Amino acid sequence: MGRSYKTEFLRWKAELEKKHGQMIYDRLSEVIDTNNDLSVGDMVMFTNDYGVKFGPNEVLGFCKPDSFLCPHRYPKDEDCGIVFLDSDGYWFPDRLDQLTPVSKGGQQ
């Protein structure tokens, strides 16, 4: 794994939530109805729309699908990113279908 952007993410999260209240959550089950126990600290692989894999990356947080943080993909608004990863695009959440869990809480 390369450079960590966790410090920048936490600073950005604090500034965002100071202005808007809680916007980023620690567990996937806090933002959508799911049995998936994905949470902050878990490690995932990211696969882009062309099949290229990146990672592993640490999960840093989750946003609700109806949040202004969720980048909607047209024409299907429900297909949006809700998972923040420790990457150079830490402020842009990724879609669940792009992620493959590797380990819980950073443990192999």
Side-chain angles (χ1 to χ4, degrees), residues 8-18 24 26:
E8 288 89 342
F9 173 83
L10 293 173
R11 186 178 310 119
W12 173 75
K13 176 184 173 187
E15 291 172 11
L16 180 74
E17 292 185 340
K18 184 177 179 182
I24 300 174
D26 291 336

Side-chain angles (χ1 to χ4, degrees), residues 54-69:
F54 299 90
N57 296 96
E58 182 178 354
V59 173
L60 298 179
F62 304 90
C63 66
K64 293 184 178 185
D66 61 353
S67 164
F68 69 85
L69 297 173

Side-chain angles (χ1 to χ4, degrees), residues 1-10 12 43-46 54-61 83-94 99:
M1 188 158 92
R3 179 187 187 289
S4 175
Y5 293 86
K6 193 173 189 175
T7 300
E8 288 89 342
F9 173 83
L10 293 173
W12 173 75
M43 300 298 286
V44 297
M45 292 298 293
F46 169 82
F54 299 90
N57 296 96
E58 182 178 354
V59 173
L60 298 179
V83 184
F84 295 98
L85 299 180
D86 187 0
S87 70
D88 59 354
Y90 62 84
W91 45 266
F92 191 88
D94 296 301
L99 307 179

Side-chain angles (χ1 to χ4, degrees), residues 7 13 15 20 25 30 33 52 55 75 77 80 82 88-89 95 105:
T7 300
K13 176 184 173 187
E15 291 172 11
H20 302 285
Y25 299 83
E30 292 179 281
D33 185 24
V52 179
D77 283 346
C80 70
I82 59 172
D88 59 354
R95 299 186 327 261

